[in-house]
Each structure stands twice: as structure tokens, then as C-alpha cells.
Amino acid sequence: QVQLVQSGAEVKKPGASVSVSCKASGYSFINYGIHWVRQAPGQSLEWMGWIHAGSGDTKYSQKFQDRVTITRDTSATTLYMQLSSLRYDDTAVYYCARWYGSGNLMTFDYWGPGTQVTVSS
Amino acid sequence: DIHLTQSPSFLSASIGDRVTVTCRASQGIGRYLTWYQQKPGKAPKLLIFGASNLHSGVPSRFTGSGSGTEFTLTINSLQPEDFATYYCQQLNTYPITFGQGTRLEIK
């Protein structure tokens, strides 16, 4: 079965960087894309960007363009999201989610459990 | 960016009720609309994609409709496990965006 297993909670100081991993299993890794979405406390969901696991092509939200890097390791079937220059308002749960479908049937069908990132001095 | 506005933001209902949540897009998005359910401390779960397609394993009491700028999620005969927060999402245009959420609580 499809599983996305994320790395554990992180506490970082302002200005630092954080890397969150997402280990994928149960499907053909290189044939799907993975998106990263975050959710600040009590807030809605916010899309950050995505990577095609096969080609490595990426697209980022302009909001995070200069601070986020999404990569993958095909041999380890693992995706990574690195966010730099952390600010207090980057405190959130970060999710990876699998991109499924095509055309207007595109959606995020499986989600990781989330990784809490706390920015605190 | 395409802005999604959900209404209502908060909904109180009883077991067995039928409820409807609306999602309005700031510009046309065809049928590139997904609905998710999220419970506290958990990741969102896919309910409906392509505006009206029920995801595998999702009970048939959930239905979606709409196209263009107005979409609805209807839950027939509310069950205890349906009390959660619901989000719409558009995948027509980058950046992908989400509605602000509709919190459904037991009356």
C-alpha cells in the first residue's frame, strides 16, 4: 500500500535552515510527483512546491521561491524539502502529498502524517 | 493567485442532517477542484476530485458538484465520524491554493 513516512519534529532558531524528508513506498516512485504543503497553527493549508520524482523537475510557489529547495533520492525513494532563513511564522506542520491523475482529475491522493517544525529562539 | 472562499466557515449540525459547503473561486477553474477532510492532528484525507469524483473508499453520502467558479460539497445523513474541517483546493493554476476551511461541529 502507498505510504509516505516523514521525518520527526524539528526545533530551529530564526535564520537557520530545516530539512524534512518523506520516504515513499508501495508504488512506482519515479512515475509520480510529490507536493509539499504546510499548515500553520489554526490556519488553512498552504502549497509550497512540487517535484516530479522521475525527472527531478520542480516548481515552487513564488512566496517560497528564494527559500525552498525540493529534491529527491531515487535510490532511497525519498523526497526532501529544505527551507532556509527560517522565521517565527514558518512554525507549522509540513506535509508531503502524492500527485495523482491528469487533466481535471489531478489531486493529492496520499499524504504523509506531517512534520512539526517550530522556529524558536 | 486564485482565491477560494468557503462558506460557511463554521457549521453546526446534528447526526443524520444533510449539510452543504460552498467553495467559490475568484476566477474560473473548470473542474480542477478537490475536497479534503481533516481531523485534528491528522493529515488531510481526499474525498472528492475533479469536482464530483468520489475517491475510492469514501462513503457515498459525500457528493460534489459544480464547475467554473462555484462548487459544493454535500454530506447526506451526517455520521459521527464526519465532524471535521473540510477544505477545497484548486489545481487549475499555479500556485495551487486552498480555501480557508469549513469546520463542521456537532450541534
Side-chain angles (χ1 to χ4, degrees), chain A residues 35 37 39 43-47 50 59 61 95 99 103-109 111-112, chain B residues 31-32 34 36 38 42-44 46 49-50 53 55 87 89 91 94-96 98-100:
Chain A
H35 292 254
V37 175
Q39 186 170 37
Q43 302 300 308
S44 182
L45 301 155
E46 183 173 35
W47 179 76
W50 81 284
K59 188 166 186 67
S61 167
Y95 295 102
W99 176 291
N104 64 11
L105 300 182
M106 291 186 292
T107 190
F108 297 177
D109 63 344
W111 293 63
Chain B
R31 295 177 62 81
Y32 288 77
T34 288
Y36 299 97
Q38 187 179 34
K42 300 294 187 181
L46 173 61
F49 60 101
N53 297 272
H55 182 52
Y87 294 97
Q89 174 202 40
L91 299 97
Y94 289 115
I96 292 168
F98 294 84
Q100 84 278 14

Side-chain angles (χ1 to χ4, degrees), chain A residues 13-70:
Chain A
K13 294 191 185 301
S17 296
V18 68
S19 180
V20 179
S21 67
C22 174
K23 165 78 174 171
S25 62
Y27 69 95
S28 177
F29 179 78
I30 60 171
N31 288 332
Y32 290 83
I34 289 288
H35 292 254
W36 289 88
V37 175
R38 76 178 189 180
Q39 186 170 37
Q43 302 300 308
S44 182
L45 301 155
E46 183 173 35
W47 179 76
M48 301 180 70
W50 81 284
I51 186 167
H52 189 283
S55 66
D57 290 343
T58 56
K59 188 166 186 67
Y60 302 126
S61 167
Q62 273 200 320
K63 175 175 178 177
F64 302 102
Q65 180 77 40
D66 57 348
R67 295 199 296 138
V68 71
T69 304
I70 300 174

Side-chain angles (χ1 to χ4, degrees), chain A residues 6 37-41 45 90-95 113-117:
Chain A
Q6 296 186 227
V37 175
R38 76 178 189 180
Q39 186 170 37
L45 301 155
D90 290 319
T91 294
V93 176
Y94 289 76
Y95 295 102
T115 295
Q116 175 69 53
V117 174

